[in-house]
Amino acid sequence: MSSFKLTLGAAMLAALSVSAWAAPVAIGYQAPLTGEYAQYGNQFRNAATLALDEFNQTHKATPVVIKFADSKGDALEGVSIAHKFSDDNSIVGVIGDFSSTVSIAAGKVYAETHVAQLSQTASHPDFVKISPWQFRNIITEAYEGPYNARWISQNNIKKVAVVSIQNDWGQTASKSFIKAFKDGGGEVTAAESFNPGSRDFRAILTKIARTRPDAIYLALMYEDGAALLQQKLQLNVNVPVYGTSSMYEKKLIQLAGPAANGVKLSTTFTASSKEPAVQAFVKAYDARYHGEPSMFAAQAYDATRIMLNAIVKAGGDKASREAVRNALAATKDFPGVTGLTSFDPVTREPAKNLSRLQVKNGEFSSVAN
């Protein structure tokens, strides 16, 4: 054989090898990497990258890649990404988006194109009702709201004022809590909402103070919570504050300062947990990103690992979208840093537990009541 043929054959073989290596099985991950909610999207990307690297270290024969796309927290962008991911044959499953609004908008596309979608944070009850292709590994407000209502009632609080962000998630969180609290015999003295991006809560707090509640319940993000807590302290509104898991972020304490002391909230993840898996995750995340992981990072870490596990069970590099979807549906007691995750065979809702935290001396601490 001539040297030309040998060279040509080697070149073709190299090209095929590069082609095979360049297009491994992929996960699409859509999240707000810029814009108002970029801090959450970047936590998702950090945690997902960490989970992926750990996976690929032990699955070198069939590596997986994650293709990230920036939804900017916008539903139209989310839909555009969903079409793009659906057209990418290397993508066998998708994670995201952050908000229920964007997740639902994108989900309608994935339902039509038959791509499994797993959201780490979309807690609106309607999300998984879109089609059999939607999953989430976070509990819904239909569970968290009543849980917190019972917790507050157990602390002998009879009257509560509620403040929530004016979006799909915030209104669902508010309504779920209010219904449960009233059903338990409590009184809601006021229910106020604010537009995303608004950080002046003085008028709301002044109005709430006039209704004389025993406590205030917050359904909002930690940045909003920090501003509200500071203004609450400035206005001398001296009532206890409870909040949703969305407030569990160390920056809440950093931004609010002493105003955060005493705040109580529920969460699926506690960075101070002594569980070996949690401590390993916290240590690895801090070593790479120089900060303590929040609940949002933990949710993304688990979502990525659940999706990777489904890909392995669906055949690895031979996995089809349908096989990945079916493997996700069969997830049972997956051991994550947010606890065990199983998907209900009918609703695809996750079964998870909540923990209780309180800010004490500038730190989140576990509490029993």
Side-chain angles (χ1 to χ4, degrees):
M1 185 180 291
S2 70
S3 60
F4 172 76
K5 289 182 179 179
L6 285 171
T7 303
L8 179 61
M12 290 177 66
L13 181 61
L16 287 171
S17 298
V18 170
S19 176
W21 177 85
V25 64
I27 296 170
Y29 205 130
Q30 61 175 85
L33 303 177
T34 61
E36 183 179 357
Y37 300 120
Q39 63 273 31
Y40 302 102
N42 284 294
Q43 288 183 51
F44 296 160
R45 180 165 57 183
N46 289 347
T49 301
L50 178 62
L52 180 72
D53 289 350
E54 292 172 350
F55 174 86
N56 282 336
Q57 286 174 7
T58 56
H59 295 77
K60 294 180 180 180
T62 56
V64 177
V65 299
I66 295 179
K67 298 183 178 182
F68 293 97
D70 180 13
S71 69
K72 303 178 177 65
D74 178 79
L76 291 178
E77 287 285 347
V79 169
S80 177
I81 292 168
H83 283 295
K84 178 182 176 181
F85 280 171
S86 296
D87 291 340
D88 186 338
N89 292 329
S90 72
I91 292 177
V92 296
V94 170
I95 304 175
D97 206 288
F98 166 55
S99 73
S100 294
T101 300
V102 182
S103 297
I104 290 171
K108 292 176 181 178
V109 176
Y110 294 128
E112 293 178 358
T113 57
H114 291 183
V115 181
Q117 177 190 16
L118 170 61
S119 175
Q120 70 293 297
T121 46
S123 59
H124 193 288
D126 289 347
F127 172 64
V128 292
K129 296 177 183 177
I130 296 173
S131 81
W133 295 84
Q134 273 67 45
F135 299 82
R136 58 170 146 233
N137 66 307
I138 191 170
I139 57 170
T140 72
E141 289 307 319
Y143 180 84
E144 185 176 24
Y147 176 91
N148 286 337
R150 292 191 297 272
W151 179 17
I152 292 173
S153 295
Q154 289 166 3
N155 286 337
N156 203 33
I157 291 172
K158 306 297 184 183
K159 300 188 298 180
V160 172
V162 179
V163 181
S164 59
I165 189 169
Q166 184 68 47
N167 60 20
D168 287 344
W169 170 81
Q171 296 312 292
T172 300
S174 172
K175 289 176 183 177
S176 296
F177 171 81
I178 288 173
K179 182 181 185 303
F181 192 68
K182 286 182 175 179
D183 287 349
E187 176 188 349
V188 176
T189 65
E192 301 291 327
S193 59
F194 62 94
N195 292 323
S198 174
R199 298 280 166 78
D200 188 347
F201 300 101
R202 291 175 179 83
I204 288 177
L205 287 165
T206 300
K207 184 176 180 179
I208 283 175
R210 295 195 190 105
T211 68
R212 299 184 180 278
D214 299 326
I216 297 174
Y217 184 70
L218 304 179
L220 37 69
M221 301 295 114
Y222 74 84
E223 310 97 320
D224 302 319
L228 186 147
L229 291 169
Q230 285 182 323
Q231 293 163 33
K232 173 180 172 289
L233 181 63
Q234 293 164 3
L235 293 173
N236 200 32
V237 180
N238 294 317
V239 293
V241 173
Y242 289 76
T244 52
S245 54
S246 54
M247 292 177 62
Y248 178 42
E249 164 62 61
K250 203 161 188 178
K251 288 182 180 177
L252 171 79
I253 300 172
Q254 294 171 354
L255 293 171
N261 281 326
V263 171
K264 292 183 177 181
L265 51 87
S266 53
T267 181
T268 56
F269 170 76
T270 307
S272 60
S273 168
K274 301 304 180 185
E275 289 289 331
V278 173
Q279 286 308 301
F281 166 60
V282 171
K283 183 178 180 180
Y285 189 94
D286 182 57
R288 180 176 292 198
Y289 303 114
H290 310 295
E292 183 179 279
S294 69
M295 183 204 74
F296 296 99
Q299 285 291 142
Y301 182 74
D302 278 357
T304 304
R305 293 174 65 235
I306 289 169
M307 182 65 78
L308 289 166
N309 182 65
I311 290 172
V312 170
K313 291 186 177 300
D317 58 352
K318 297 179 178 61
S320 67
R321 290 175 172 180
E322 183 178 4
V324 170
R325 182 265 162 212
N326 292 339
L328 278 175
T331 298
K332 177 73 173 178
D333 292 334
F334 182 86
V337 296
T338 64
L340 298 176
T341 297
S342 300
F343 294 122
D344 184 278
V346 177
T347 66
R348 300 174 311 288
E349 293 284 15
K352 301 178 82 75
N353 295 318
L354 283 169
S355 300
R356 297 173 178 180
L357 298 176
Q358 182 176 17
V359 180
K360 295 181 179 180
N361 301 316
E363 298 287 343
F364 286 107
S365 302
S366 297
V367 292
N369 54 39

